[in-house]
């Protein structure tokens, strides 16, 4: 990689221990560490976003299951009531025009 070539060329053991080459080597290493740190932060941020979406999906699924159970329980109570069954049976024998005339005339 470019970093390795530059670091090898500027390393104090290879280039000599002059103040300028040592400072240039420090700058290269610092810049590389900064880039690596930003890359790792980006990966961690992406993992956090992925985890948040997974948590949201699990929450929505749990909520949907609870909601379905509540609706089914309520529907069971309503459908078991005698009044609803009698109205449903009465409506089944009427056509829509008969219901309209019975209600409005």
């Amino acid at each position: 990689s470019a970093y390795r070539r530059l670091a090898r060329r500027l390393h104090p053991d290879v280039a000599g221990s002059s103040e300028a080459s040592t400072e240039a080597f420090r700058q290269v290493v610092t810049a590389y560490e900064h880039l690596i740190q930003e890359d790792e932060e980006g990966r961690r941020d992406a993992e956090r976003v992925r985890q948040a979406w997974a948590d949201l999906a699990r929450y929505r699924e749990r909520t949907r299951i609870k909601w379905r159970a509540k609706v089914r329980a309520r529907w069971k109570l309503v459908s078991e009531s005698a009044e609803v069954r009698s109205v449903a049976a009465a409506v089944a024998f009427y056509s829509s025009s008969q219901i309209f005339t019975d209600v409005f005339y």
Side-chain angles (χ1 to χ4, degrees):
S1 77
Y3 161 73
R4 290 182 189 270
R5 284 192 306 264
L6 192 56
R8 175 140 173 82
R9 191 181 73 193
L10 295 175
H11 194 274
D13 292 342
V14 175
S17 348
S18 70
E19 189 68 33
S21 65
T22 304
E23 183 60 31
F25 178 74
R26 282 190 200 132
Q27 287 177 353
V28 168
V29 169
T30 304
Y32 182 73
E33 288 173 352
H34 182 72
L35 289 174
I36 293 297
Q37 183 181 8
E38 283 183 356
D39 188 41
E40 289 174 0
E41 287 174 3
R43 277 191 237 133
R44 281 194 302 268
D45 289 345
E47 179 60 27
R48 285 187 202 119
V49 168
R50 190 196 64 73
Q51 186 63 41
W53 278 107
D55 292 344
L56 178 62
R58 282 192 295 274
Y59 171 77
R60 291 178 76 187
E61 185 60 29
R62 283 193 316 264
T63 305
R64 185 170 46 239
I65 290 170
K66 289 178 185 177
W67 180 80
R68 285 180 183 163
K70 286 180 183 178
V71 168
R72 286 183 182 136
R74 288 180 185 157
W75 177 250
K76 186 176 180 184
L77 290 174
V78 168
S79 64
E80 289 175 352
S81 87
E83 182 180 332
V84 170
R85 281 185 290 178
S86 65
V87 170
V91 169
F93 290 110
Y94 279 95
S95 69
S96 58
S97 61
Q98 288 173 334
I99 294 172
F100 182 79
T101 55
D102 288 347
V103 170
F104 293 106
Y105 291 109

